[in-house]
Amino acid sequence: MGDTFQTIVDLDASPQDAPSLALPVVEWLVAEGIVLADAKPGWALGDRPAHPPGPHWHKAVADARFGAPEGLAVYTEHHIFYSLNSPGPHTVTCPRCTTASVEEGGLAERFGTATSTWYETGSADVECPACAESVPLSAWRWSDNSLAFAYLGFEFWNWPALAEEFRARMAEFLDGHSTAYLMGKL
C-alpha cells in the first residue's frame, strides 16, 4: 500500500504568471465536476489544502475501476516536483547548448547547492560543464521527467492513472507552455 501522486507541471510559468495560469485550469476542473471548488486540508499529503474529487472525477482518468481519488493540490509558488518511479542515473540536458550529461551521483555532485538555494529562494543557477554558461536551475530538463523546478504544478493524490487526453486538455490552458508529467508512490 502507500500513497500515489501524479503531477502536471508547467515548466515555463514565471512566479508572476503562476497564479493567473492556475485559475482557469481550476475553474475548468470545477465546471466539469472533476474537483470541488473549495480546497480543504486533509485531501492531500500533509496539511496542504487540496480540492476534493468532484462527482465526475472519472472524466479525468483512464480507468475509474482502479482507485478512489483523494485531492488535487495546486502549487503556485516555487516548488521542487519529483518522481519516485524513475531511479537514477538521470540524464539532464542544458537548455543553452542541448548537451546531455548523466548524473550518476544524484543531485549532490553538481546540483546540490543549487537545489538547496532553489528550495529556499526559488532562484538558482548551475554552470553547464559543456558550454560554461550559467543556466537557471528551472531551465534544465531531466530525463523521464524525474525532476522539475517550477512555479506551477497540479498534484493529484491517489487518483487512478490520468488519461492522456485529460493531461493534454490541461496543457491547453497553460498558454502553450511546456509541461512535464511526474508520478510516484510513497
Side-chain angles (χ1 to χ4, degrees):
M1 299 290 291
D3 291 306
T4 62
F5 58 92
Q6 300 169 77
T7 311
I8 298 171
V9 179
D10 183 326
L11 298 171
D12 302 326
S14 70
Q16 298 79 21
D17 294 339
S20 62
L21 286 167
L23 185 61
V25 175
V26 172
E27 288 174 344
W28 169 68
L29 293 170
V30 170
E32 291 288 319
I34 295 170
V35 299
L36 300 179
D38 293 327
K40 301 174 184 177
W43 286 94
L45 191 65
D47 295 330
R48 181 173 197 80
H51 297 271
H56 302 294
W57 63 266
H58 53 71
K59 293 165 57 173
V61 302
D63 192 338
R65 293 177 297 164
F66 298 112
E70 290 182 21
L72 164 66
V74 179
Y75 294 85
T76 58
E77 69 282 340
H78 72 277
H79 193 75
I80 301 172
F81 298 97
Y82 58 91
S83 173
L84 297 176
N85 287 350
S86 53
H90 300 289
T91 302
V92 62
T93 303
C94 172
R96 298 258 166 83
C97 69
T98 67
T99 298
S101 59
V102 176
E103 292 299 311
E104 292 190 53
L107 291 174
E109 286 186 27
R110 186 160 41 125
F111 291 90
T113 300
T115 299
S116 296
T117 302
W118 170 271
Y119 181 78
E120 293 172 15
T121 69
S123 179
D125 293 334
V126 175
E127 185 175 303
C128 174
C131 67
E133 292 291 324
S134 184
V135 179
L137 182 59
S138 59
W140 291 82
R141 295 299 178 247
W142 297 81
S143 64
D144 301 324
N145 288 331
S146 56
L147 280 172
F149 299 86
Y151 299 97
L152 178 58
F154 302 89
E155 198 167 65
F156 295 82
W157 281 94
N158 293 315
W159 287 59
L162 297 175
E164 286 186 41
E165 300 83 20
F166 172 75
R167 294 187 343 237
R169 182 74 177 115
M170 278 191 69
E172 289 176 15
F173 283 93
L174 301 174
D175 291 345
H177 289 184
S178 299
T179 59
Y181 175 62
L182 294 83
M183 49 196 258
K185 182 176 182 178
L186 300 176

